[in-house]
Amino acid sequence: MMRDLTELGIAAIRDGVAAGEFTAVEVTEAFNANVAAARALNAFIVETPEIALDMAKAVDADRAAGKELGKMAGVPIGMKDLFCTEGTQTTAASTILSGFVPHYESTVSANLWKAGAAMLGKLNLDQFAMGSSNETSAFGNVISPWRIGGGNDAPLAPGGSSGGSSSAVSARLCPAATGTDTGGSIRQPAAFTGITGVKPTYGRCSRWGVVAFASSLDQAGPMAHDVRDCAIMLGSMAGFDPKDTTSLDLPVPDWEAALSSDMRGKKVGIPREYRMDGTDQDILESWDKGIAWLKDAGAQIIDISLPHTQYALPAYYIIAPAEASSNLSRYDGVRYGMREVPEGANLQDMYAATRSAGFGPEVKRRIMIGTYVLSAGFYDAYYTQAQKVRTLISQDFEAAFQKCDVILAPTTPTASFSLGDKSKDPLAMYLNDVFAVPASMAGLPALSVPCGLNKDGLPLGLQIIGNMLDEQSVLNAGLAIEERAGFTARPDKWW
Amino acid sequence: MSNKYTVQGASGEFEVIIGLEVHAQISTQSKLFSGSSTEFGAQPNSQVSLIDAAMPGMLPVPNMECMRQAVRTGMALGAQINKYSRFDRKNYFYADLPQGYQISQLYHPIVGEGEIEVTLDEKDPDSATKRIGVERIHVEQDAGKLMHDQHPTSSYVDLNRCGVALMEIVSKPDMTSPREAGAYVKKLRSILRYVGSCDGNMEQGSMRADVNVSVRRAGEELGTRTETKNVNSIRFLMQVVEIEARRQVDLIEDGGTVIQETRLFDPNRMETRSMRSKEDAHDYRYFPDPDLLPVELDDAFLEECKQSLPELPDEKRVRYENELGLTAYNAAVLTAESETSFWFEELLAQSVERTGKSDKDLAKQCANWLLSELFGALNKLGVTLEESPVSPSQGAELLSLVADGTISGKIAKDVFEIMLETKQGAEQIVEEKGLKQVSDTGAIEAAINDIIAANEDKVAQYRGGNARLLGFFVGQTMKAMQGKANPQIVNEILKKKLDS
């Protein structure tokens, strides 16, 4: 009478392995089997069952030897394929990095392995983390495990860019996965698939070894079943890294130990500017429910204003592409990855041919936008202006956090949509991140926690945004919602 | 006559305006943003880190020693030091630039305005001096090196130099002749070497200049400038100014227009050639590097930079003149290069220690010996001061033998020859070869008596009024004493005997 170990999350696996209820190898084997059986989701670019087993064996051996186990000992996870992993292909879901096998390990993944986690494989994503539906990957779309049902089997978007992560966690292919969030890429897919995802304060997690999209915005974070699991995993990912000068030289708090859903004495701000046209009624209703739950948890609800919210998305779509256009210059076919050399080509021809063939359309679009906004004559009108907007957005939040401890808002304006629905309209796609982008621009910690289903039976998420470095309040408010939302819905297994 | 440099055209005289951007490699063990070695001449691609090769996910970490050296250099130029500076990305594609951008400082350089005083003719202590403004110094990454001679159809790239720290020292357009431009770079190089922030080795490319030249008729507005890139010697630099000014004047007089462009100097054909015009110029899309925080320097850091500065050439020159009593010329030559002044000061200090005399008493002797004897010998050997077979301590040993009368100045020259050949110490040579100067008046008197006896005719001539014959007697006496007689005593005794 074997229990299904893939039903367990991080805390349960860690505790079970530590207590000897089951072995890390047993856990890993169970998840390896789920991964192998779920190729229809296309969540993984590379599966690494052998690596996962070796890492699990090491944990079991440590336990047998009586050694102290790490905080994620025995927990197999999925690794977004934006993190460089030594000896395992790393592509950022782009053809231009096809066949690239790093000789180094990203700091975040190394931290996780040190904590005893094991790697099930490299997860699919939007190419270079650019996208909100996981339709820009060179390795094909990731399919959400969720369906509307009732005869409507249209494949749905798992969100993006961490769509492989959200799909895999939601479908129980792994108990948790890493994500990265530049403008919502953890929170939006978490919301679309009924899981929890945390983007910590900018600088909590080292960016060293993470393929860069937009350096001033990129932040790694955990995606898992619940708030506690995210707290555990974030604790294992975070920490100062002298190799990343933007990483924060601060101790990592024990977020798990300080989890509390008691919101008495806490003030929750409700930003009036987030009541936008085009937001689904279901979303607005879920927001109201969230307000009620936090009240129930003892919080005081206050109305706040974040007056520059409407400028956040346009400013984001200047700053992020600007940085990306420069960050992606290194993919030139000279030293690694793809190289296209047409007959008789000179150096410039090789660059053009390689980059034309290697980058997907959305990546090219953002390189073009970024190049444009940085060019002579346009720089001040776009880039400088966008940086000013960014400062104003930060000031909005600073003022708000004088009045409240956390901010409650929807994660997304809609639930998941069908693949193909928005892929031809970039602006409609970009709007998905309208609620997520402001916290990214200000570098603030934020999470998405599942709060229920919409009328189509698709998951919805609520977002908590916290003050700089105050992940604890974000996690605690998320936990208060989680306890009251009682979200237990699961996608029906069709894959 | 006016010393003003002009270029004579058919229609009149033209003035030349010159501005220089000097790229100086900062002398540090490791690169600006990575731990790779900066050593010159290593095997291609043996000093390349993951960061230098711009592998995915790699991040730059500033080497604060590079910033420190830039600050010290700025202080040596009396320049404004910016406590807040920032790195920007200069974006362009080239195979020697793996990141696809150079990390530089456009908007907020670490050093602001300063100036350099140059002497237009260092051989002439009375030559005019001129103050040439420095606009700014910023810190940036060097690029790698393409090698086109390794393969018939492909080029190779060596990334060893990629990411090495450079200071770009930008002058104001304050120079008006090739000579001023040359003097500016010479002086700048000297200061950098004193400070220790750059070895100034132009042959190895650790210092190179982009030369901006424009011409105009007297009183007219500034002309359009051209920029000749990567000039790697002072001689070439002066040639570039001359050639480029001539070319521009000829062009204008032929009814043409100077266009703003980047040019290359071809020293073999003695011409500059267009590389790319302004229209083809890259749009570098500079923007603040989001991987790096601004550089903020605190007072303690600045104080340490200040305290660590050595005495600079101008201060030294004044001190040599005023406190050591050296001639303006000697003071200028001794301080022009840091090595010379360090050598001189070591020689002087050791001589003071050996003789117990004051440095003022010994300075002239040391300076003369160094500038004539030692430099003459090094010249003959074709080696630099750093490669000198004789150390300052050995020089002091030799000079103190002269100072205390053990040997004469003439014998000292012979001893020095032997020192160069055998690398033996002066005292040992004097001892072994029995070269000690004879100051024993008895022995000298005896020798003189013999010579006077043997040359009665000459004695008579001398006494008859031919005073020049004294030299003959001195010579004979010295010869008889194998050159070891104390010349002062020889003179005294001779005069006494001949004049009596």
Side-chain angles (χ1 to χ4, degrees):
Chain A
M1 202 189 71
M2 187 80 186
R3 61 200 277 208
D4 183 359
L5 296 173
T6 63
E7 288 298 308
L8 305 180
I10 294 174
I13 294 171
R14 174 196 65 187
D15 296 344
V17 168
E21 290 169 30
F22 41 77
T23 65
V25 166
E26 283 166 356
V27 174
T28 297
E29 280 171 342
F31 279 106
N32 276 344
N34 275 13
V35 169
R39 301 217 168 103
L41 298 175
N42 199 28
F44 283 84
I45 294 175
V46 177
E47 296 168 12
T48 56
E50 301 302 326
I51 293 175
L53 275 176
D54 286 346
M55 293 168 107
K57 280 176 193 160
V59 167
D60 288 337
D62 281 352
R63 185 180 176 276
K67 288 190 194 162
E68 197 184 329
L69 296 181
K71 290 185 168 166
M72 289 191 52
V75 181
I77 59 169
M79 186 59 60
K80 187 176 182 179
D81 199 25
L82 205 61
F83 294 84
C84 290
T85 43
E86 188 175 356
T88 301
Q89 177 185 278
T90 301
T91 63
S94 181
T95 310
I96 208 154
L97 275 172
S98 54
F100 174 63
V101 178
H103 294 283
Y104 50 93
E105 186 77 34
S106 81
T107 300
V108 162
S109 55
N111 287 347
L112 286 164
W113 312 145
K114 212 160 57 196
M119 181 168 77
L120 292 164
K122 301 298 291 287
L123 291 161
N124 206 342
L125 66 150
D126 274 305
Q127 193 165 151
F128 281 102
M130 298 175 186
S132 305
S133 61
N134 220 121
E135 289 172 282
T136 71
S137 168
F139 297 86
N141 301 340
V142 177
I143 318 291
S144 172
W146 293 83
R147 281 176 170 176
I148 290 177
N152 185 349
D153 291 342
L156 298 180
S161 65
S162 310
S165 307
S166 65
S167 180
V169 173
S170 172
R172 267 50 181 183
L173 312 188
C174 46
T178 54
T180 62
D181 191 317
T182 304
S185 279
I186 287 175
R187 290 161 286 160
Q188 184 256 19
F192 274 18
T193 56
I195 66 168
T196 305
V198 179
K199 179 198 95 69
T201 306
Y202 180 79
R204 273 287 186 206
C205 291
S206 168
R207 294 183 295 112
W208 193 88
V210 186
V211 174
F213 163 14
S215 310
S216 74
L217 295 153
D218 295 345
Q219 245 322 275
M223 299 172 76
H225 294 318
D226 57 29
V227 170
R228 175 171 300 269
D229 283 1
C230 283
I232 296 167
M233 185 162 165
L234 180 58
S236 296
M237 296 168 74
F240 173 62
D241 180 3
K243 291 186 287 189
D244 173 3
T245 60
T246 62
S247 99
L248 295 165
D249 191 359
L250 293 171
V252 178
D254 189 343
W255 290 301
E256 185 195 9
L259 279 177
S260 160
S261 57
D262 182 354
M263 294 289 287
R264 280 175 300 176
K266 299 283 184 189
K267 288 179 182 161
V268 176
I270 308 299
R272 64 181 79 111
E273 291 80 5
Y274 281 49
R275 290 205 180 269
M276 290 181 190
D277 292 344
T279 305
D280 280 0
Q281 191 56 38
D282 289 337
I283 299 279
L284 294 174
E285 282 167 16
S286 74
W287 196 3
D288 290 337
K289 274 191 243 167
I291 292 169
W293 289 327
L294 290 178
K295 245 189 222 167
D296 179 61
Q300 185 191 339
I301 306 297
I302 62 167
D303 177 56
I304 59 162
S305 174
L306 298 168
H308 298 91
T309 299
Q310 61 171 312
Y311 305 112
L313 197 66
Y316 171 86
Y317 273 100
I318 291 168
I319 291 170
E323 294 182 14
S325 71
S326 177
N327 281 337
L328 270 58
S329 296
R330 64 188 55 200
Y331 307 107
D332 57 9
V334 175
R335 298 166 314 284
Y336 48 78
M338 181 191 206
R339 172 187 288 184
E340 284 283 296
V341 190
E343 187 66 31
N346 65 22
L347 183 66
Q348 294 299 326
D349 299 333
M350 182 180 91
Y351 288 153
T354 301
R355 292 166 65 85
S356 296
F359 290 135
E362 182 61 26
V363 174
K364 286 178 190 163
R365 180 173 8 255
R366 298 204 195 187
I367 290 174
M368 293 298 289
I369 293 171
T371 303
Y372 179 80
V373 299
L374 289 177
S375 25
F378 299 100
Y379 181 83
D380 283 337
Y382 290 101
Y383 186 80
T384 307
Q385 200 67 8
Q387 289 291 12
K388 288 181 189 163
V389 168
R390 190 171 184 179
T391 302
L392 291 172
I393 288 164
S394 291
Q395 288 170 353
D396 282 358
F397 280 113
E398 272 168 41
F401 286 119
Q402 299 288 319
K403 297 181 190 147
C404 64
D405 299 290
V406 292
I407 293 167
L408 174 70
T411 308
T412 57
T414 68
S416 175
F417 45 83
S418 295
L419 291 174
D421 257 14
K422 300 190 178 179
S423 51
K424 292 194 177 58
D425 182 355
L427 290 182
M429 188 70 89
Y430 296 170
L431 274 173
N432 257 288
D433 291 320
V434 68
F435 298 137
V437 154
S440 294
M441 293 285 270
L444 300 173
L447 66 62
S448 177
V449 59
C451 62
L453 300 175
N454 74 355
K455 58 181 180 305
D456 291 329
L458 298 179
L460 299 175
L462 279 173
Q463 181 180 207
I464 304 286
I465 303 169
N467 204 351
M468 202 65 86
L469 301 174
D470 193 9
E471 282 83 0
Q472 194 68 60
S473 293
V474 171
L475 293 163
N476 288 353
L479 185 64
I481 290 174
E482 180 182 285
E483 286 175 357
R484 286 163 181 81
F487 183 86
T488 53
R490 297 275 294 275
D492 293 329
K493 190 167 184 298
W494 54 263
W495 56 90
Chain B
M1 190 201 100
S2 162
N3 275 329
K4 198 168 161 183
Y5 177 87
T6 54
V7 176
Q8 187 66 48
S11 62
E13 286 190 332
F14 286 78
E15 296 172 356
V16 182
I17 309 292
I18 306 144
L20 296 173
E21 292 161 27
V22 173
H23 297 261
Q25 179 180 329
I26 302 178
S27 302
T28 48
Q29 300 288 309
S30 52
K31 295 183 180 180
L32 180 52
F33 295 111
S34 81
S36 310
S37 166
T38 58
E39 204 181 318
F40 179 79
Q43 280 292 308
N45 295 314
S46 63
Q47 294 169 177
V48 185
S49 72
L50 297 170
I51 296 168
D52 307 326
M55 301 302 282
M58 291 301 101
L59 298 171
V61 176
N63 175 352
M64 280 311 285
E65 179 57 19
C66 299
M67 308 315 283
R68 178 174 170 270
Q69 293 297 359
V71 167
R72 293 176 74 245
T73 305
M75 286 174 167
L77 303 183
Q80 184 201 325
I81 307 300
N82 295 323
K83 291 171 89 170
Y84 174 96
S85 67
R86 214 177 57 187
F87 286 104
D88 301 302
R89 290 186 185 177
K90 177 182 182 178
N91 294 283
Y92 64 96
F93 284 99
Y94 203 55
D96 63 7
L97 189 73
Q99 292 169 143
Y101 52 85
Q102 177 195 32
I103 305 178
S104 181
Q105 297 188 304
L106 175 72
Y107 298 108
H108 297 278
I110 190 159
V111 176
E113 290 188 11
E115 64 178 15
I116 295 179
E117 188 182 277
V118 299
T119 305
L120 297 183
D121 184 352
E122 64 180 23
K123 296 252 157 60
D124 173 7
D126 299 326
S127 149
T129 58
K130 181 169 177 175
R131 292 180 174 279
I132 292 168
V134 169
E135 179 77 39
R136 56 187 280 159
I137 302 177
H138 63 256
V139 174
E140 64 185 21
Q141 296 176 302
D142 206 346
K145 200 173 83 184
L146 287 188
M147 298 182 290
H148 300 292
D149 54 359
Q150 311 283 309
H151 188 275
T153 56
S154 299
S155 293
Y156 284 71
V157 63
D158 175 7
L159 298 179
N160 281 352
R161 211 178 59 190
C162 185
V164 165
L166 300 176
M167 288 180 280
E168 181 170 328
I169 303 158
V170 183
S171 85
K172 297 196 170 173
D174 284 353
M175 289 154 278
T176 55
S177 70
R179 188 188 243 187
E180 280 181 23
Y184 168 82
V185 173
K186 220 178 269 178
K187 186 62 175 283
L188 176 61
R189 183 173 175 274
S190 160
I191 293 171
L192 294 178
R193 288 161 63 95
Y194 266 97
V195 170
S197 57
C198 171
D199 66 19
N201 192 329
M202 296 187 85
E203 273 166 33
Q204 292 181 359
S206 16
M207 210 175 135
R208 47 192 196 264
D210 296 345
V211 187
N212 288 280
V213 175
S214 67
V215 299
R216 66 174 173 192
R217 289 189 172 87
E220 283 184 356
E221 301 256 304
L222 282 176
T224 303
R225 66 185 168 84
T226 62
E227 180 182 15
T228 305
K229 288 284 209 191
N230 279 331
V231 180
N232 63 357
S233 83
I234 291 172
R235 188 163 60 91
F236 286 168
L237 165 82
M238 294 168 70
Q239 286 169 350
V240 163
V241 173
E242 217 166 302
I243 291 167
E244 185 53 22
R246 180 83 252 166
R247 186 191 70 83
Q248 291 184 14
V249 167
D250 291 348
L251 184 65
I252 291 167
E253 296 215 310
D254 288 348
T257 319
V258 177
I259 54 164
Q260 192 178 332
E261 61 182 352
T262 306
R263 300 182 70 84
L264 272 182
F265 177 54
D266 180 344
N268 296 318
R269 302 172 63 169
M270 287 296 276
E271 62 178 29
T272 65
R273 277 201 299 275
S274 180
M275 212 168 115
R276 55 172 184 265
S277 74
K278 194 187 172 190
E279 285 69 42
D280 309 328
H282 298 290
D283 178 350
Y284 290 120
R285 292 170 284 122
Y286 278 100
F287 77 110
D289 191 323
D291 283 333
L292 291 161
L293 301 174
V295 179
E296 293 181 69
L297 306 175
D298 59 25
D299 291 333
F301 181 88
L302 296 180
E303 188 55 31
E304 188 283 325
C305 289
K306 202 170 158 190
Q307 292 305 325
S308 72
L309 278 184
E311 188 183 28
L312 294 165
D314 287 346
E315 303 162 29
K316 245 189 220 307
R317 184 170 45 77
V318 170
R319 180 168 65 84
Y320 285 8
E321 279 187 58
N322 294 345
E323 290 177 26
L324 299 180
L326 297 182
T327 63
Y329 174 77
N330 278 0
V333 178
L334 285 173
T335 54
E337 288 294 338
S338 54
E339 282 74 21
T340 318
S341 73
F342 296 157
W343 219 100
F344 168 70
E345 288 178 15
E346 186 61 25
L347 176 70
L348 184 58
Q350 299 256 359
S351 300
V352 166
E353 203 181 310
R354 282 174 178 275
T355 61
K357 294 187 182 179
S358 77
D359 53 6
K360 199 172 173 177
D361 287 341
L362 295 166
K364 195 179 159 198
Q365 188 200 6
C366 288
N368 285 339
W369 180 78
L370 195 158
L371 295 178
S372 54
E373 300 301 319
L374 181 66
F375 273 16
L378 297 179
N379 243 339
K380 250 188 250 167
L381 293 171
V383 298
T384 64
L385 188 57
E386 286 111 315
E387 300 158 334
S388 167
V390 172
S391 70
S393 142
Q394 290 170 313
E397 184 181 327
L398 175 65
L399 291 186
S400 53
L401 290 176
V402 178
D404 67 12
T406 306
I407 56 172
S408 67
K410 187 171 175 303
I411 292 286
K413 289 183 196 223
D414 301 336
V415 173
F416 182 49
E417 289 286 327
I418 301 168
M419 285 167 68
L420 289 170
E421 268 170 43
T422 65
K423 307 221 160 54
Q424 280 178 303
E427 281 170 12
Q428 192 191 352
I429 295 167
V430 168
E431 194 63 42
E432 282 177 9
K433 309 238 172 208
L435 296 174
K436 265 195 188 149
Q437 177 164 273
V438 179
S439 299
D440 171 359
T441 48
I444 296 173
E445 204 166 343
I448 287 175
N449 286 340
D450 290 349
I451 288 160
I452 287 178
N455 294 284
E456 279 180 354
D457 53 334
K458 295 227 167 50
V459 174
Q461 284 173 30
Y462 175 84
R463 288 187 174 144
N466 190 351
R468 281 185 306 167
L469 275 169
L470 181 63
F472 165 77
F473 290 107
V474 173
Q476 289 297 309
T477 311
M478 293 305 280
K479 195 173 164 192
M481 306 278 307
Q482 286 122 33
K484 289 181 283 184
N486 182 325
Q488 222 176 325
I489 297 171
V490 170
N491 264 299
E492 273 167 28
I493 298 175
L494 266 174
K495 271 193 187 158
K496 201 170 72 191
K497 289 201 178 283
L498 291 169
D499 292 347
S500 64

